[in-house]
Amino acid sequence: MSTISVRPAPTVPPALLRRGAVGAAAVSVALLLGIQAAWAGTSAGTALYFALVWLTVAGAWVGVRRGRWRSPALCIAVGVTLSAVGDVLWEVQDSGADVGPADAVYLASYVSLGIGLALLARSATHVRDQRLAAWIDAAVVFFAVLLVVWELSIASTVNDESLDLVSRVVLALYPAMDAALIGLVVRLLAARRPGEWTSLAVAAACTCWLFSDLAYLLAADADSFGSLLDAGWVLGSLLLAVAAQPRTGTPDGSLSLRQRSALARLAVALGALVVPPAVEFSRDVTGGAEASGSVFVSMVVLVALLFVRCSIILRGEATARALLASRERYAAKLTAHSSDAVLVVARDGRLLTEGTPLAALLGIPATRMVTSGDAVALAGVDPQVAADLFAQALVAEGATVDAEIPVRHRGEDRWISVRLTDLSGDPDVGGVVVHVTDVTGRRRAEDALAHSVLHDGLTGLANRTLFADRVGQALLRTVRGGGSAAVVSVDVDGFKAVNDGLGHAAGDALLREVAARLRGAVRADDTVARIGGDEFAVLVEQTGDDEAVATAARVREVLAAPMTLAGTPVTVTASVGVAVGRGDAGAESLIGDADLALYAAKLAGRDRMETFSPCMRAQAREARELEQELRGALDGGEFRLVYQPVVGLGDRRVTGFEALLRWDSPRLGPVGPDRFVPVAEAAGLMGPIGAWVLREACATAATWLRDHPRAGEFSMAVNVSATQLGSPDLVGSIAAALAASGLPARCLVLEVTETALVGDPERAAACLAALRALGVRLALDDFGTGYSSLAHLRQFTVDVLKIDRSFVSGIAEGEPLPAIVRGTIDLGRTLGLEVLAEGVEHEHQARLLAEGCCDTAQGYLFAKPLERTDAEALLLEQAAVRRPQVPAPRSRVGEAVRPA
């Protein structure tokens, strides 16, 4: 398959495009002017002339709008417009009159243009003397040009007796105003910036108008120059329209540009002095009249203006010298208040300069410093260090010697930077130059930065980087001196509940309190670090393995003591992992082993200590694999619920169900709750999973109650984990599940374990009270397997006691009811609680429990955990065998009612 390559089109530089556009525009204008000249005197030529004139007017106003209506461009556009209006009036006024209304409009256009040029010149200069000098330059050029046009035109016009006074004044004003415009233009050209074309356009425009005005006044028959005159006026208007466009060019405030501008203006001013002698010389050559008063007056005016101009130059130089002196004084004052001290020391150690700067740096009287040795002593520098540096500078032969040395000044530790350069051979110096700078602030900032890099900002403990370094050093010491080093990894149980329930400020306060307690629980040589979040670590440098276990025990003990956060009493526990290593282990490896032991402690139920063993690596890999799969299981719909019936031991009818969670992983297959629930709790995933279980169980129970009313009312039991019980969102999520499903609150039973309650008893009691306020029932699961159950029953109000399966499933045929089971049943009946026995697998176990007055039971004897359809079928079966209560029919009057 062939391919066709396409060569990209060449790129035209923007500058070339702009030049091409300008060239095309110039050619177009030249063609139009040529056509207009060819048609001069005809109606077509007149129409083309006015079209060109009003086209320039439109272009001028477009430029004003693009330039955001700036005053100079606005005045230029008004001038061009007035000139065009004057052309229209000239065309319609009486051709026999010398002057008319058109002349007034023409002269007004000159005034508007002059104002615009003055504003342009003003914006280019901001200094008062410079503005005055610029006006003098413009005046010099104006008088020089005025003298020339006076000799060429104005004098003859003023002396023409055939014209009336008004006509002579009006006709003389045209070249005079042209001269004024030329003066302003020269001023602009002298200060022109590189790339700025406004001044050039205005200069060319005024030249065109001056040419046409002079030609009109000088020519005896102006009509013979009609095409040239029109071309000058049209081209001048067009250039003025171009000048009204937004200004371009990059401002350049460099000294060289200002010097070139000043030289250009001075050259123009001096050149103006040549004009009067040149005029007189021209008269002599051409045989004209002798020098008139105009030449003398112009010469006097020009000399006077130049005198003022030179005065301004001299005053500017004086001002510059004063400014230079002021800057020198400014620099001296800055040096006097600088943090640097500069000294010159002779090769024999004598101070060759004044010691005031160094005295100011040290904060001592300058009179106390006589020699460099005195300065060293007063600065608090070690004399030997100072002598070594001075010797190095002498040997370096002009090379700079740098050093930062500590000093002890007025009981305070400080740092100074010293730079020494031997300039003894320099006749202007004649000694060793010493620069002294106080760098105490920088060194302290560097120390603070280094501390922040290696320490935790919240607790001030070592961070993971510093801790790993300390562990590595401790392991190296075990190689040299024997013994061992251990890492105790600590995780604060319940931190998330405090952080979420009491706020981040309370969470930060908890972490600071934990850090303080850990410091108090370890030895002075041990290192305590905050690894991240609520995880801490302790480096124990020991002589035997028992010290790490003892440290872990002390850590758990001090963290279990109650504390008060945000006015609320809080109790937390700690999961602890211990790993012991020697020199053959790496720092990160030992820290990782301690983390694995900590993870095992969390999986085992938290609030315990585990010591690392190699088998934990495989267990950790499995747990992390489960955790990875668990993170997408809920969204992937991999969870389901099964339902184990709860039956009454009296009539064997179903009184409720317990919802049990099952997980079918696409990759791992069926995973039991005993495997994935601890992993989910340790990874913080049990919150959303438990919320889903609640919603699903409530929705199922509500559907069954609504669809099978004959089966009677039953309860739905849901297990609540320790992490859920500590969550502030538990009550809200249960209320939302009940409201969404429509399940009566009395039909929901929440099962909690003693282990979940005793971690933070006060918080657990408050949570159970809030749940009871919703109307749900509470069951104490696995009763009798953990702690002092009677004490907890007095503290935690529940509705159901569940006898653990370990007490029931082991009852053999012919054995009596165990005393612990009988005691639990009696305790429940005394307290008015429902007693439920788990793990009933044989008929003789159910018979003994019934004889012992146990209320309900569940186990494989009655049914295994059932899928939803099977559990619903069990309800249907129970509804079918239940005989409905049929009310007896009412008897008629006088008739007996036969029993059914």
Side-chain angles (χ1 to χ4, degrees), residues 27-49 51-52 227 230-231:
V27 171
S28 301
V29 171
L31 288 175
L32 290 174
L33 291 176
I35 294 173
Q36 194 274 334
W39 291 351
T42 65
S43 58
T46 302
L48 182 57
Y49 172 83
L52 291 173
S227 60
D230 291 346

Side-chain angles (χ1 to χ4, degrees), residues 780-802:
L780 189 58
D781 199 6
D782 301 337
F783 183 75
T785 61
Y787 300 84
S788 178
S789 304
L790 183 58
H792 294 147
L793 283 177
R794 294 167 61 183
Q795 184 178 7
F796 308 123
T797 304
V798 296
D799 302 284
V800 181
L801 288 183
K802 295 189 70 174

Side-chain angles (χ1 to χ4, degrees), residues 260-329:
R260 290 197 304 270
S261 176
L263 291 175
R265 291 198 300 268
L266 187 59
V268 171
L270 293 175
L273 289 176
V274 183
V275 174
V279 171
E280 183 62 26
F281 177 75
S282 175
R283 286 188 175 187
D284 293 340
V285 171
T286 58
E290 293 295 329
S292 62
S294 61
V295 175
F296 176 75
V297 171
S298 63
M299 191 67 183
V300 171
V301 172
L302 289 174
V303 171
L305 291 173
L306 286 176
F307 177 78
V308 176
R309 184 72 172 85
C310 292
S311 299
I312 293 175
I313 292 175
L314 293 175
R315 186 171 64 183
E317 291 182 355
T319 303
R321 287 194 297 270
L323 180 61
L324 179 60
S326 175
R327 288 181 176 177
E328 290 177 351
R329 293 192 300 271

Side-chain angles (χ1 to χ4, degrees), residues 315-516:
R315 186 171 64 183
E317 291 182 355
T319 303
R321 287 194 297 270
L323 180 61
L324 179 60
S326 175
R327 288 181 176 177
E328 290 177 351
R329 293 192 300 271
Y330 174 74
K333 290 181 179 180
L334 288 183
T335 303
H337 294 84
S338 173
S339 62
D340 292 340
V342 182
L343 306 172
V344 178
V345 183
R347 295 179 69 89
D348 59 3
R350 291 178 295 107
L351 277 176
L352 300 180
T353 57
E354 185 183 1
T356 303
L358 183 58
L361 182 69
L362 299 177
I364 59 176
T367 56
R368 297 180 58 187
M369 290 195 308
V370 180
T371 68
S372 61
D374 297 332
V376 168
L378 292 173
V381 181
D382 185 349
Q384 186 60 45
V385 173
D388 292 342
L389 284 175
F390 195 74
Q392 291 178 27
L394 297 180
V395 175
E397 298 180 351
T400 300
V401 176
D402 293 321
E404 288 188 1
I405 54 179
V407 300
R408 184 73 176 172
H409 178 60
R410 292 185 178 180
E412 181 184 10
D413 291 329
R414 303 183 67 83
W415 285 84
I416 59 173
S417 172
V418 182
R419 301 185 65 191
L420 300 93
T421 307
D422 184 10
L423 298 179
S424 302
D426 190 333
D428 295 328
V429 180
V432 178
V433 180
V434 182
H435 289 263
V436 182
T437 305
D438 187 349
V439 295
T440 304
R442 176 175 61 79
R443 290 296 296 255
R444 288 176 179 173
E446 291 175 353
D447 292 343
L449 179 61
H451 185 275
S452 65
V453 170
L454 298 175
H455 291 77
D456 175 53
L458 178 64
T459 63
L461 299 177
N463 61 13
R464 186 180 185 92
T465 302
L466 180 57
F467 185 74
D469 181 70
R470 297 272 179 89
V471 172
Q473 294 177 19
L475 291 173
L476 289 177
R477 284 192 288 271
T478 65
V479 175
R480 296 191 295 266
S484 62
V487 173
V488 178
S489 190
V490 183
D491 187 82
V492 181
D493 300 330
F495 170 74
K496 186 176 186 302
V498 173
N499 204 42
D500 295 343
L502 300 180
H504 293 292
D508 292 344
L510 172 61
L511 293 177
R512 286 192 290 267
E513 178 64 21
V514 169

Side-chain angles (χ1 to χ4, degrees), residues 601-889:
K602 292 165 66 177
L603 289 178
R606 301 175 181 267
D607 189 20
R608 63 187 64 223
M609 181 198 73
E610 294 288 342
T611 303
F612 173 79
S613 62
C615 65
M616 288 181 177
R617 292 194 177 95
Q619 296 171 357
R621 283 196 300 271
E622 181 183 359
R624 297 189 192 282
E625 184 181 22
L626 283 175
E627 179 182 334
Q628 188 66 29
E629 294 297 319
L630 273 172
R631 293 192 179 277
L634 187 59
D635 293 335
E638 300 172 15
F639 291 115
R640 60 187 176 89
L641 294 182
V642 294
Y643 305 91
Q644 186 169 26
V646 176
V647 301
L649 289 174
D651 55 5
R652 302 294 178 93
R653 296 183 60 81
V654 176
T655 62
F657 293 90
E658 180 180 3
L660 302 173
L661 182 62
R662 295 293 184 265
W663 177 31
D664 297 322
S665 171
R667 195 172 73 85
L668 303 177
V671 183
D674 57 332
R675 289 179 58 198
F676 73 79
V677 169
V679 174
E681 289 182 340
L685 302 175
M686 206 57 214
I689 295 174
W692 176 85
V693 172
L694 274 169
R695 293 193 301 270
E696 186 72 13
C698 289
T700 300
T703 301
W704 288 349
L705 285 172
R706 184 175 58 252
D707 294 347
H708 312 297
R710 290 190 175 183
E713 190 173 86
F714 57 89
S715 62
M716 179 65 73
V718 178
N719 290 281
V720 177
S721 67
T723 55
Q724 287 179 278
L725 196 63
S727 171
D729 301 329
L730 177 62
V731 177
S733 63
I734 292 174
L738 291 173
S741 63
L743 180 69
R746 64 181 180 274
C747 294
L748 179 62
V749 178
L750 300 178
E751 297 186 1
V752 295
T753 63
E754 288 182 277
T755 305
L757 296 176
V758 298
D760 190 349
E762 291 78 8
R763 185 175 182 83
C767 182
L768 294 183
L771 293 175
R772 288 185 64 85
L774 291 177
V776 301
R777 301 170 66 209
L778 301 174
L780 189 58
D781 199 6
D782 301 337
F783 183 75
T785 61
Y787 300 84
S788 178
S789 304
L790 183 58
H792 294 147
L793 283 177
R794 294 167 61 183
Q795 184 178 7
F796 308 123
T797 304
V798 296
D799 302 284
V800 181
L801 288 183
K802 295 189 70 174
I803 302 175
D804 187 70
R805 67 177 63 250
S806 61
F807 300 128
V808 176
S809 60
I811 303 175
E813 181 73 31
E815 290 184 358
L817 194 65
I820 189 172
V821 175
R822 184 177 299 278
T824 301
I825 296 172
D826 294 340
L827 177 62
R829 296 185 65 84
T830 301
L831 297 176
L833 306 178
E834 177 186 338
V835 180
L836 189 156
E838 295 183 294
V840 179
E841 300 178 357
H842 302 287
E843 185 62 39
H844 66 275
Q845 295 170 349
R847 186 180 67 254
L848 288 175
L849 290 170
E851 292 173 354
C853 297
C854 183
D855 299 305
T856 54
Q858 62 183 122
Y860 283 8
L861 174 64
F862 310 109
K864 294 182 179 181
L866 304 173
E867 298 294 337
R868 175 171 176 167
T869 54
D870 296 332
E872 189 173 9
L874 185 63
L875 282 178
L876 287 173
E877 180 182 349
Q878 181 167 298
V881 300
R882 182 176 181 180
R883 298 181 60 187
Q885 297 292 332
V886 181

